[in-house]
């Protein structure tokens, strides 16, 4: 509940933030501060949502239940880009830059209200309730995770590094790359991304269901292995400036990421014992994000500036994808694990 409130209040704060002319240097300082609060909230929110989904699920359907948390990513891409398209199309560019950009941030308050209504009405999972009854909850669970499950955290974070890198490159960097370097209209770029995001959502659900039947590590391993190969062709396909080939590049890279992201929530929950599961899952995701996606748009921009083409970016995303594949190779299979341990 606290993580959800922090996310909502910081997002609302961005929408209400005075501009530089009104507040001076404090405007960008507060903007960065709000973004840090958003990241802090996300680190707690993802792990909590995963555990509430997976620990309430029947054992044979934990992958499927966990995938509804994973669907937040493509749903966020679709919803945010649709809101951005509608808002930017409804007003002039000058009006959008002056005030209309605030509308999506302010409108998000409604989602927070709905989220709080859902979250407050949920009961604690039976598995963790047993821990509380037995008074076995850990006061410093994060230290216990690092002491007893450091290898699991390292491999889980490593398995996510390439996925996080590719996610930020596609969702953040590629929008500016397509409009500035490929000379695509912004509406075309966003429409391509929206199409790929819909396929991304389908891939997440399908791979999660398959992970309940055939094992999670196998699905994730195949997905990450295919991503290594697709990373080699993503920018060469995009650089053709052919709309169909760019659509193929985007759809392919997001569908293959879905093969990992679908089973991921269940895997990150199943890797750790109940008393430290929240900390273990959250820490693994956060480390993978920091080491992978956090700086990837900046790195991609620098690599393009250094060469004037996308060749070094291709080397970079392929190397990060390879790290994910190797880390997944080191993970154990978890889909038959009993969660109440």
């Amino acid at each position: 509940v606290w993580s959800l409130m922090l996310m909502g209040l910081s997002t609302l704060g961005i929408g209400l933030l005075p501009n530089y002319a009104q507040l001076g240097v404090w405007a960008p300082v507060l903007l960065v501060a709000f973004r840090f609060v958003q990241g802090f909230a996300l680190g707690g929110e993802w792990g909590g949502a995963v555990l509430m989904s997976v620990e309430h699920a029947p054992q044979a359907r934990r992958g499927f239940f966990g995938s509804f948390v994973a669907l937040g990513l493509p749903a966020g891409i679709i919803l945010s880009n649709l809101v951005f398209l509608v808002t930017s199309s409804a007003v002039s560019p000058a009006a959008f830059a002056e005030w209309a950009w605030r509308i999506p941030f302010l409108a998000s308050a409604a989602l927070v209200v709905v989220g709080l209504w859902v979250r407050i009405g949920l009961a604690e999972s039976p598995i963790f309730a047993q821990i509380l009854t037995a008074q076995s909850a850990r006061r410093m669970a994060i230290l216990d995770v690092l002491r007893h499950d450091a290898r699991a955290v390292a491999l889980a974070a490593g398995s996510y590094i390439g996925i996080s890198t590719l996610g930020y490159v596609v969702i953040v960097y590629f929008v500016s790359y397509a409009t500035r370097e490929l000379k695509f209209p912004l509406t075309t770029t966003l429409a391509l991304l929206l199409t790929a995001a819909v396929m991304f959502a389908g891939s997440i659900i399908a791979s999660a269901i398959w992970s309940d039947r055939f094992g999670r590590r196998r699905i994730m391993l195949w997905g990450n292995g295919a991503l290594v190969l697709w990373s080699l062709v993503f920018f060469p396909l995009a650089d053709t400036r052919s709309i169909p080939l760019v659509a193929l590049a985007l759809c392919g890279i997001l569908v293959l990421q879905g093969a990992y992201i679908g089973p991921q929530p269940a895997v990150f929950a199943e890797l750790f014992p109940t008393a430290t599961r929240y900390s273990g899952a959250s820490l693994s995701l956060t480390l993978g994000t920091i080491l992978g996606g956090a700086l990837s748009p900046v790195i991609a921009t620098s690599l393009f500036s250094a060469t004037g083409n996308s060749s070094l970016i291709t080397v970079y995303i392929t190397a990060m994808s390879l790290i994910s594949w190797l880390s997944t190779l080191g993970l154990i299979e978890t889909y038959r694990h009993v969660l109440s341990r």
Side-chain angles (χ1 to χ4, degrees):
V1 169
W2 271 106
S3 63
L4 188 60
M5 288 178 62
L6 285 173
M7 176 65 75
L9 291 173
S10 57
T11 305
L12 186 65
I14 292 174
L16 296 173
L17 189 64
N19 60 29
Y20 187 86
Q22 297 168 317
L23 204 59
V25 72
W26 281 105
V29 168
L30 285 173
L31 177 60
V32 173
F34 282 134
R35 289 292 286 156
F36 268 99
V37 174
Q38 283 182 320
F40 182 79
L42 179 62
E45 177 61 23
W46 186 88
V50 164
L51 266 58
M52 292 302 286
S53 300
V54 175
E55 290 186 347
H56 277 96
Q59 181 168 341
R61 304 191 72 195
R62 291 197 299 246
F64 177 65
F65 275 55
S67 69
F68 284 92
V69 179
L71 279 175
L73 181 53
I77 298 170
I78 294 168
L79 183 59
S80 61
N81 281 292
L82 280 175
V83 172
F84 182 83
L85 273 172
V86 171
T87 306
S88 60
S89 300
V91 299
S92 66
F96 183 81
E98 184 177 353
W99 60 269
W101 65 268
R102 299 178 183 273
I103 294 174
F105 293 92
L106 298 175
S108 70
L111 294 177
V112 175
V113 172
V114 173
L116 283 173
W117 176 70
V118 171
R119 184 60 56 86
I120 291 172
L122 285 174
E124 186 61 82
S125 73
I127 295 172
F128 193 74
Q130 293 174 10
I131 293 289
L132 295 176
T133 301
Q135 297 183 338
S136 301
R138 308 296 174 85
R139 292 182 61 84
M140 295 295 290
I142 189 71
L143 296 181
D144 289 334
V145 165
L146 293 175
R147 187 179 300 116
H148 301 295
D149 294 298
R151 183 177 183 274
V153 169
L155 288 173
S159 74
Y160 187 58
I161 282 176
I163 301 295
S164 177
T165 298
L166 290 172
Y168 277 76
V169 165
V170 171
I171 297 165
V172 180
Y173 174 74
F174 188 76
V175 174
S176 63
Y177 182 84
T179 53
R180 295 180 183 180
E181 308 303 332
L182 304 182
K183 307 304 181 185
F184 283 4
L186 179 60
T187 52
T188 301
T189 303
L190 294 181
L192 289 169
L193 190 56
L194 282 169
T195 302
V198 172
M199 298 188 67
F200 185 24
S203 173
I204 286 174
I205 291 291
S207 61
I209 292 172
W210 292 337
S211 78
D212 283 330
R213 293 186 59 190
F214 306 115
R216 315 205 199 287
R217 180 177 174 273
R218 181 184 302 176
I219 302 296
M220 294 167 67
L221 202 56
W222 278 102
N224 279 345
L227 271 175
V228 175
L229 301 177
W230 202 263
S231 297
L232 290 169
V233 302
F234 176 75
F235 276 99
L237 284 172
D239 289 341
T240 64
R241 291 181 167 85
S242 164
I243 296 294
L245 290 180
V246 174
L248 175 64
L250 284 171
C251 290
I253 204 161
L254 285 181
V255 165
L256 291 175
Q257 286 184 65
Y260 172 95
I261 290 176
Q264 180 198 21
V267 170
F268 278 31
E270 292 162 348
L271 278 171
F272 303 99
T274 304
T276 58
R277 186 169 291 135
Y278 200 148
S279 296
S282 298
L283 181 61
S284 299
L285 183 90
T286 303
L287 287 176
T289 303
I290 292 171
L291 298 176
L295 294 177
S296 58
V298 175
I299 293 172
T301 302
S302 301
L303 292 175
F304 186 88
S305 299
T307 61
N309 58 60
S310 62
S311 56
L312 284 183
I313 304 177
T314 296
V315 173
Y316 165 59
I317 63 175
T318 303
M320 298 301 276
S321 298
L322 185 60
I323 291 173
S324 276
W325 182 78
L326 291 172
S327 298
T328 305
L329 198 63
L331 287 173
I332 59 173
E333 180 53 75
T334 61
Y335 81 118
R336 297 189 186 278
H337 280 192
V338 176
L339 284 185
S340 55
R341 58 189 175 93

